[in-house]
Amino acid sequence: MTSTDRVALPFSIEAEKACLGAVLIDPKYLAEIDDLLEPSDFYVKFHQVVFAAMRSIASDGMTPDILLVHERLSADQSYVDSGSAAALSRLMVGIPR
């Protein structure tokens, strides 16, 4: 099998949203998923850049809340290419509290 013959792995956009939304609601959850996931594990490009921003913020010793994630992404061209503030806030919709 060549690299062009690779089959896409199964993915769940709802599961991706749930992981990211949970961290935006309560950043303590980043510690629980940080060792399990890489940005490339997310299928949606926007989710990849959001998760990378969360990790970057945490590695800087700050809490990756929605405002810091938005600021970090706004400073990066990838955010403009990937989504908007509304898309970031929609990640928290439907997450149990």
Side-chain angles (χ1 to χ4, degrees):
M1 178 183 288
T2 67
S3 61
T4 57
D5 294 336
R6 289 188 299 182
V7 176
L9 295 175
F11 63 92
S12 169
I13 293 174
E14 292 304 317
E16 292 182 12
K17 288 180 182 178
C19 285
L20 299 174
V23 173
L24 290 173
I25 290 170
D26 192 344
K28 73 177 180 190
Y29 291 115
L30 181 60
E32 293 185 27
I33 65 171
D34 192 41
D35 292 336
L36 302 173
L37 297 172
E38 293 294 328
S40 61
D41 291 331
F42 291 88
Y43 179 79
V44 177
K45 175 70 175 166
F46 178 65
H47 297 166
Q48 293 173 3
V49 297
V50 168
F51 187 65
M54 289 174 169
R55 290 175 107 186
S56 174
I57 291 165
S59 71
D60 290 345
M62 297 181 287
T63 302
D65 62 24
I66 191 166
L67 294 176
L68 286 175
V69 172
H70 180 11
E71 286 178 13
R72 184 68 53 104
L73 295 177
S74 294
D76 184 355
Q77 185 63 36
S78 63
Y79 184 57
V80 174
D81 296 340
S82 300
S84 66
L88 186 60
S89 66
R90 279 193 298 270
L91 292 173
M92 298 184 296
V93 173
I95 304 297
R97 297 174 193 222

